Structures are given as C-alpha cells and as structure tokens.
Amino acid sequence: MKRVSTDNELVRAAQQGDENAFRELVGRYENKVYRLALKMMREPQDAEDVLQETFINVFRHLDSFRGESGFSTWIYRIATNASLMKLRSKRPIASLDEPVDVDEENLPRELMDWSATPEEMLLSHETRTQMDAALARLPETLRAVFVLRDIEGLNVEETARVLEISQANVKTRLHRARLALREALAGYFAEQMPRAGKAVTP
Amino acid sequence: MTHIHSANCQDLKAQLSNFIDGDLDDAVCAEIQRHLADCDNCRVMVDTLKKTIVLYREVPEESVPPDVHARLVKVLDLEAMKKKTD
C-alpha cells in the first residue's frame, strides 16, 4: 500500500518542481480554503477570488516556506489575509470603525431559552441564512477568529499563529464574537417563535 | 488565571467562553456551577451560547464546486507556465 505523503514531504517535492506534488497539496486544501473564504466573504464569487488568490500566493511563495509553522498554518494565514484584504477593499469608508454590537454591560431582564429549539427550525434554510448574515455583520477581526476556531476547529494556539496575535487576544475576540452571534440568533428565534420558546422570568 | 471573586451575572458573562472551553480552574468552575443552579438567566445564557457554537459547527461541509475547481486549475496552470517562461 502506498504511504500517504506528509504535507512537508509534498512541499519539498513541489519546491523541487514536482507538479503532481503541488496538485496534491491543492487537492488536500482547496475545500478547507474555500469553506473559510465562504464564511469570511459570504458571496461565492468573492470566495472564489480568495481561493485563487490563496493558491497563486502559495505557488509563488512556496520556495520561501521553511516549515517552521506547518503548511496548514501557513495556508490558513494566506487565505485569511487574502480574505481580510478583499473585505477591506470592498468596505465602505463610513464603516471603518463600526463597533461590534455586543451588549456587555447589561444583561437583559428576561432571556428566552431556545437551546432546545426543534431541529427542523434550527436546520432550516432561513436559519442558515440568518446565521450567515450575523457572521457577516461581525467586524472582520472577530469573524476571522470565530471562523478559524469555532467553525474550522483550530485550537487557540493554532488560531493565534495563523493570525499572528497572542492567545489572550484570540480568547478575547472569540468571546466577543460568540456573544454577538448568540445575541443575533436570540433575536431571530425570539421573532420566529415568540410562544414556542420558554421565557425565563428572573 | 482570572478568578471570579463574586459569581454574579456580569462576572459570569465575562468568563462564559473560558467556562465553556474548560479553561477555568476547578474552584472557579464550582463557583459558576453554584451560581447557575440559582440563576435561570445565566443558565439560559450558557445553554444558548453553547447552542450557538454547535449550530455554527454543524455547517455542512462545503466542497469546491466543479466549475470553481476547473477555473482554479486553469489559473494555476497559467502561473506554472509563466514561471517556466521567466
């Protein structure tokens, strides 16, 4: 049985001009990069641009990859940076410092418990659309942390290496992102099922 | 390590992610558990925050559509040709 090559073995082969090795790296990572790009960009056309941009950069800079941080971290970093650059180029100037809508000071008097919401509602197309919209409303720096850590499943250390920020910063941003998304979903579910959820009275 | 000195609702909210991710020491976790047993609002907050993360994690696996893959291959072939002619 043929042994599966490691990423670093494929990178070394590709650095020496092995086109099949490069193609295998593309095959190994294109879905991950595309999924990350879709979550960051939302629009499929933008995600495709990020996908192409990422692999063109990988191809052009492969010779400079030394393997200190792992190929996976490296390609996630390139893809995240490509997403952030594209988002910044598309962003209207007026919203440059748009604050994240996270109410950290006051707890609402009454919270609706939608954690046991029926699966058919949770899995509906409309819910997915609302979730994507809420993610797209997050400031990019929070969105990147949430996508890498909670959707792609990187750990805190890996996320910090990809984004080149401290682990403490990852945790802070992740928490803010999660709270904002929870608020958004809570608002949506409250509208959808005002009587279905169980309101908790303090 | 951050400690919750009095496990009131605001302190708990600040520590929610660390609590969910298991990043707090046993004593702080026990203090939070005691608070949750008495505070319905915070319990709902914990449950719905966990559910939010679960919902986003359950995003269906997206594969690159065939036409997108084909265009990627084409772009990369062009890059390879450019490199060879340089």
Side-chain angles (χ1 to χ4, degrees):
Chain A
M1 199 167 82
K2 196 185 167 210
R3 191 178 67 85
V4 178
S5 304
T6 65
D7 286 352
N8 280 347
E9 286 166 350
L10 289 174
V11 169
R12 277 196 293 276
Q15 283 171 335
Q16 285 156 21
D18 182 341
E19 289 175 9
N20 286 334
F22 185 74
R23 267 196 284 276
E24 194 165 337
L25 282 170
V26 174
R28 213 170 260 194
Y29 282 95
E30 66 177 335
N31 286 340
K32 285 181 181 173
V33 170
Y34 187 66
R35 192 170 56 228
L36 173 96
L38 266 181
K39 290 296 156 198
M40 287 297 294
M41 309 303 303
R42 206 176 174 205
E43 294 298 329
Q45 182 55 59
D46 291 337
E48 181 173 352
D49 290 348
V50 167
L51 177 75
Q52 292 186 1
E53 185 79 13
T54 299
F55 280 104
I56 287 172
N57 275 321
V58 167
F59 183 79
R60 287 181 184 166
H61 301 289
L62 197 64
D63 286 345
S64 67
F65 175 72
R66 294 280 166 264
E68 291 96 350
S69 60
F71 183 75
S72 159
T73 301
W74 191 59
I75 195 167
Y76 270 124
R77 187 181 299 151
I78 292 172
T80 308
N81 285 341
S83 302
L84 292 173
M85 295 267 285
K86 191 158 185 70
L87 282 168
R88 281 164 195 166
S89 72
K90 287 169 73 86
R91 183 169 49 185
I93 290 166
S95 68
L96 269 176
D97 293 313
E98 196 177 341
V100 58
D101 182 21
V102 183
D103 179 5
E104 289 181 355
E105 297 307 315
N106 301 302
L107 285 166
R109 267 195 223 127
E110 189 177 272
L111 287 176
M112 178 197 264
D113 188 359
W114 45 270
S115 62
T117 307
E119 285 297 305
E120 59 266 28
M121 176 177 277
L122 296 179
L123 299 174
S124 74
H125 179 70
E126 172 63 14
T127 303
R128 289 283 164 211
T129 305
Q130 292 292 331
M131 285 169 61
D132 286 346
L135 191 58
R137 284 197 299 273
L138 281 183
E140 299 130 16
T141 50
L142 301 194
R143 197 184 321 159
V145 170
F146 184 81
V147 170
L148 289 166
R149 174 81 181 89
D150 277 349
I151 299 182
E152 288 303 305
L154 273 62
N155 62 32
V156 171
E157 191 187 345
E158 289 164 340
T159 307
R161 277 206 305 264
V162 168
L163 296 172
E164 299 179 284
I165 58 176
S166 69
Q167 292 187 35
N169 212 339
V170 168
K171 289 183 183 184
T172 304
R173 290 183 192 183
L174 182 66
H175 184 53
R176 287 168 59 82
R178 285 171 171 178
L179 287 180
L181 294 173
R182 194 211 73 86
E183 292 289 339
L185 286 189
Y188 167 67
F189 286 128
E191 275 176 21
Q192 292 300 305
M193 44 170 204
R195 286 175 301 278
K198 180 179 149 234
V200 173
T201 310
Chain B
M1 176 61 69
T2 313
H3 289 276
I4 295 181
H5 298 295
S6 67
N8 63 33
C9 304
Q10 207 56 56
D11 288 338
L12 183 127
K13 193 173 181 186
Q15 290 293 334
L16 263 186
S17 281
N18 288 332
F19 176 65
I20 287 172
D21 291 338
D23 284 345
L24 298 174
D25 64 34
D26 291 349
V28 181
C29 279
E31 201 175 340
I32 290 177
Q33 296 286 11
R34 276 196 299 278
H35 177 76
L36 292 179
D38 292 333
C39 181
D40 282 342
N41 243 1
C42 282
R43 194 178 38 71
V44 171
M45 179 63 95
V46 170
D47 289 346
T48 51
L49 192 70
K50 280 186 187 167
K51 191 76 180 182
T52 300
I53 299 164
V54 167
L55 284 178
Y56 275 98
R57 278 193 185 149
E58 278 177 3
V59 169
E61 289 275 306
E62 299 272 0
S63 293
V64 176
D67 56 329
V68 174
H69 172 77
R71 287 192 289 273
L72 174 65
V73 169
K74 206 170 171 182
V75 164
L76 292 174
D77 283 348
L78 275 174
E79 277 295 311
M81 272 169 59
K82 264 197 256 172
K83 197 174 181 179
K84 278 177 191 162
T85 54
D86 275 351

